């Protein structure tokens, strides 16, 4: 039998009305508490009583109880009583349990005005800037301790992290750099062919890779790969109280955890940049002899002529700086991670996003400085 | 008799403007198994973290051998910390290191033992907690109870004078946590250590607790002090009674039905 209900008015007593439920009230009854209320023609006065008669119910589940609960809450607001004596004891007990603790007063979630949002963001930004500066300061002091031999980095830790952030990244760096070299060469060749100057594709690819593309691409790859990994590792250690355990031993987590990561990224990023440059030039040369009738050795010779040592130095120093930035972003967000699983995810995301933003900003600074110095 | 190794004087702890606990005053005597009791969220763990140098108290003193561990502007110095051993709620073993490396790290940092001696010490400490032969396992490869014991081995690696436990039996079955209690007792007796323990495991409280305080979340201060049995008998505070007699009232309810 389908779910159904009927509202009855007691003629002798205008303050009393009865709700009779019958049928099968299972799995999301279609009726809502408001519908029930509409049917009730009870005088909305203090002292009115609604009798709930569920004795003819064949089946019910908690969706029925939820409906009653919502109804009772609505009636209570109007100060109308409910009589549950004709209900299944299970229903009565569930309702009693639900109403045992009075509901917490709902906090009126007041909408923030634009000004408030800006203000809160500003305060948060100020606090976070202070935190970041403190962290950078701590890292600087720890670096000093490391080089004066007052703290040491576990050799095993360092080797493992070096491997993770160096050799393990080779396949993806190869792929990306090769393709970037290829793309640059294709774009360049379309323009240069108009003047019959295809050979200068080698100049363009070589210089662009050395000065810009290799460090940036490697930096972005490392931010996404290693920076995120650092943040997630340190964040999980924070969640597991592992960092507290270090602190209570009087060990500085920056010495033990941040330093090996920082050192290995600073060592590995320039090396990977060089490698990325080589892969990019290889990619360019592929286009050279497939599409432009330039032999491999001609292409390499042209590149050798075009790319100056200073271009290499700029690329390498960018790699060095990006290494510091990615390591700081990864480790900072890891160390400041909250104590639950979702904050680890947040830490990894923030590490990647801020890492990439820092890379692009510092690259702009590089471009500016190089322009002034005319190199 | 010498002064108690740990004294808490007028301690107030707060997160920003929110006071967690105020005006705490108690001594922890040598050889005590001191239990910090209280309902969830009353500040037990915060108190423990202040004692082990992780959270700076808002005011008041934590005296270890009559020197305030939070005296200096900096974090508590290593000299204090090396006398403390801490067992964290979730063990907090360094997950990237083997059990042997976990136990060895404090020794490498704080002692002048040679690598060979450290090896021997590590084997002994792991054997003491019943984990001989597990030296080369990673924390993730052993069960929760074993992780707790391995963390205990790390906590006692430097023969600490005071051992801190943050809910040692959390997440353990009754038999395992009972064995952990026995182990704590034996280690207290053999190492001559003082034990400070945050727990709400009634069985542990009565089985091994020799002294304690009861923190209340509502009044934000301690509402009872003394041995757990005495607290149960003498305290007339309803919260203390309800907390310590939980098993009793459950029994009564069952009889009624």
């Amino acid at each position: 039998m389908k779910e159904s209900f009927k509202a009855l008015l007691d003629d002798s007593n205008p303050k009393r009305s009865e709700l009779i439920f019958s049928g099968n009230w299972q799995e999301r009854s279609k009726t809502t508490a408001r519908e029930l209320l509409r049917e009730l023609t009870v005088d909305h006065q203090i002292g009115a009583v609604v009798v709930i008669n569920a004795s003819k119910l064949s089946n019910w589940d908690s969706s029925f109880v939820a409906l009653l609960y919502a109804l009772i809450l609505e009636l209570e607001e109007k100060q109308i009583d409910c009589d549950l004596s004709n209900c299944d004891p299970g229903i009565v007990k569930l309702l009693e349990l639900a109403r045992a603790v009075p509901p917490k007063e709902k906090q009126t979630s007041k909408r923030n005005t634009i000004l408030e949002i800006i203000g809160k963001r500003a305060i948060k930004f100020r606090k976070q800037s202070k935190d970041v500066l403190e962290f950078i300061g701590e890292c600087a002091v720890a670096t000093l301790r490391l080089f004066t031999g007052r703290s040491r980095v576990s050799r095993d830790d360092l080797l493992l992290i070096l491997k993770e952030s160096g050799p393990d990244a080779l396949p993806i760096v190869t792929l990306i750099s090769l393709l970037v070299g290829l793309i640059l060469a294709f774009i360049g060749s379309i323009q240069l062919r108009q003047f019959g100057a295809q050979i200068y594709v080698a100049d363009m690819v070589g210089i662009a890779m050395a000065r810009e593309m290799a460090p940036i691409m490697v930096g972005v790859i490392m931010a996404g790969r290693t920076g995120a990994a650092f943040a997630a590792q340190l964040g999980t250690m924070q969640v597991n109280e592992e960092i507290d355990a270090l602190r209570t031993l009087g060990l500085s987590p920056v010495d033990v955890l941040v330093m090996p990561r920082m050192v290995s990224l600073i060592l590995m990023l320039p090396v990977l940049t060089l490698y990325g440059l080589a892969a990019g030039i290889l990619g360019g040369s592929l286009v050279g002899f497939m599409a432009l009738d330039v032999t491999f050795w001609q292409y390499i010779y042209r590149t050798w002529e075009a790319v100056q040592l200073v271009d290499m130095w700029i690329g390498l120093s960018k790699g060095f700086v990006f290494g510091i930035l990615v390591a700081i972003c990864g480790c900072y967000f890891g160390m400041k991670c909250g104590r639950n699983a979702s904050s680890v995810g947040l830490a990894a995301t923030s590490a990647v996003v801020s890492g990439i933003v820092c890379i692009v900003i510092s690259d702009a600074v590089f471009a500016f400085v190089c322009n002034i110095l005319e190199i | 008799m010498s002064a108690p190794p740990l004294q808490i004087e007028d301690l107030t702890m707060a997160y920003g403007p929110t006071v967690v606990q105020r005006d705490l005053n108690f001594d922890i005597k040598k050889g005590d198994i001191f239990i910090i009791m209280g309902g969830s969220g009353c500040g037990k763990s915060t108190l423990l973290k202040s004692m082990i140098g992780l959270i700076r108290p808002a005011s008041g003193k934590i005296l270890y051998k009559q020197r305030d561990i939070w005296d200096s502007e900096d974090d508590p110095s290593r000299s204090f910390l090396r006398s403390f051993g801490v067992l964290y709620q979730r063990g907090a073993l360094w997950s990237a290191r083997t059990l042997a490396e976990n136990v060895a790290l404090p020794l490498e940092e704080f002692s002048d033992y040679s690598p060979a001696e450290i090896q021997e010490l590590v084997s002994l400490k792991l054997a003491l907690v019943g984990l001989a032969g597990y030296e080369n396992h990673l924390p993730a490869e052993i069960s929760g109870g074993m992780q707790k014991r391995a963390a205990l081995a790390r906590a006692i690696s430097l023969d600490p004078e005071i051992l801190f436990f943050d809910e040692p039996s959390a997440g353990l079955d009754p038999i395992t946590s009972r064995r952990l209690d026995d182990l704590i007792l034996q280690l207290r007796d053999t190492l001559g250590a003082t034990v400070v323990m945050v727990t709400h495991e009634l069985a542990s409280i009565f089985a091994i607790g020799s002294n304690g305080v009861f923190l209340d979340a509502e009044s934000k201060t301690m509402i009872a002090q003394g041995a757990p049995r005495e607290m149960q008998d003498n305290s007339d505070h309803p919260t203390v009674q309800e907390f310590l007699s939980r098993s009793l009232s459950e029994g009564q309810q069952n009889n009624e039905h």
Side-chain angles (χ1 to χ4, degrees), chain B residues 7-14 19-27 42 47 57-62 213-216 219-225:
Chain B
Q7 292 164 290
I8 309 296
E9 287 182 1
D10 301 324
L11 190 73
T12 296
M13 296 167 303
V19 173
V20 182
Q21 286 285 327
R22 65 164 66 89
D23 304 329
L24 301 180
N25 274 297
F26 53 86
D27 293 349
C42 71
L47 173 60
S59 67
K61 288 176 182 164
I62 297 171
V213 284
F214 195 102
L215 305 184
D216 184 38
S219 54
K220 295 193 185 306
T221 188
M222 44 194 268
I223 51 174
Q225 186 174 10

Side-chain angles (χ1 to χ4, degrees), chain B residues 8 21 33 41 60 87 115 118 135 138 145 148 152 164 166 170 173 181 185 187 194 201 209 214 222 224 232:
Chain B
I8 309 296
Q21 286 285 327
I33 293 189
L87 177 66
I118 288 181
E135 278 86 348
L138 285 173
K148 285 268 168 67
L152 183 55
F164 293 90
D166 190 1
D173 67 80
D181 284 349
L185 265 185
L187 288 174
T194 305
E201 192 70 28
F214 195 102
M222 44 194 268
Q232 191 187 18

Side-chain angles (χ1 to χ4, degrees), chain B residues 3 13 17 21 45 58 65 68 76 102 123 132 140 155 175 192 201 219 232 244 248:
Chain B
M13 296 167 303
Q21 286 285 327
S45 290
K65 293 193 173 164
D68 189 356
N102 262 287
S123 298
I175 300 174
E201 192 70 28
S219 54
Q232 191 187 18
L244 289 175
L248 201 71

Side-chain angles (χ1 to χ4, degrees), chain B residues 34-173:
Chain B
F34 191 91
I35 316 263
I36 300 170
M37 280 167 270
S40 303
C42 71
K44 303 184 297 279
S45 290
T46 311
L47 173 60
L48 192 83
K49 283 182 175 166
S50 295
M51 291 199 216
I52 57 181
L54 286 178
I55 298 178
R56 181 177 281 276
S59 67
K61 288 176 182 164
I62 297 171
L63 301 173
Y64 170 65
K65 293 193 173 164
Q66 287 162 327
R67 279 181 60 196
D68 189 356
I69 68 166
W70 286 102
D71 199 12
S72 64
E73 277 297 302
D74 293 329
D75 287 346
S77 67
R78 292 164 67 116
S79 58
F80 290 117
L81 295 172
R82 78 152 287 178
S83 324
F84 294 171
V86 186
L87 177 66
Y88 290 85
Q89 197 167 350
R90 271 168 292 195
L93 292 165
W94 295 303
S95 46
R97 293 161 195 262
T98 64
L99 297 194
E101 285 166 348
N102 262 287
V103 182
L105 187 74
L107 291 164
E108 285 164 3
E109 281 298 320
F110 286 105
S111 68
D112 304 323
Y113 294 120
S114 69
E117 285 169 318
I118 288 181
Q119 281 274 305
E120 284 174 12
L121 270 167
V122 167
S123 298
L124 170 73
K125 303 286 175 179
L126 280 174
L128 280 178
V129 297
L131 285 175
Y134 283 92
E135 278 86 348
N136 293 323
H137 282 62
L138 285 173
E141 295 168 348
I142 58 177
S143 72
M146 286 155 101
Q147 284 181 14
K148 285 268 168 67
R149 279 186 280 150
L152 183 55
R154 183 180 71 186
I156 59 170
S157 60
L158 287 165
D159 298 332
E161 289 182 41
I162 304 185
L163 264 171
F164 293 90
F165 291 86
D166 190 1
E167 309 212 2
S169 39
L172 297 184
D173 67 80

Side-chain angles (χ1 to χ4, degrees), chain A residues 1 3 21-29 54-68 86-95:
Chain A
M1 204 171 109
E3 62 181 55
F21 295 93
S22 58
N24 187 3
W25 284 74
Q26 262 176 326
E27 289 192 26
R28 295 179 168 272
S29 44
S55 53
K56 290 183 186 134
L57 271 189
S58 57
N59 270 313
W60 58 273
D61 64 7
S62 52
S63 66
F64 178 64
V65 183
L67 176 71
L68 285 190
N86 279 326
C87 287
D88 190 276
I91 296 175
V92 176
K93 201 135 205 187
L94 276 176
L95 285 172

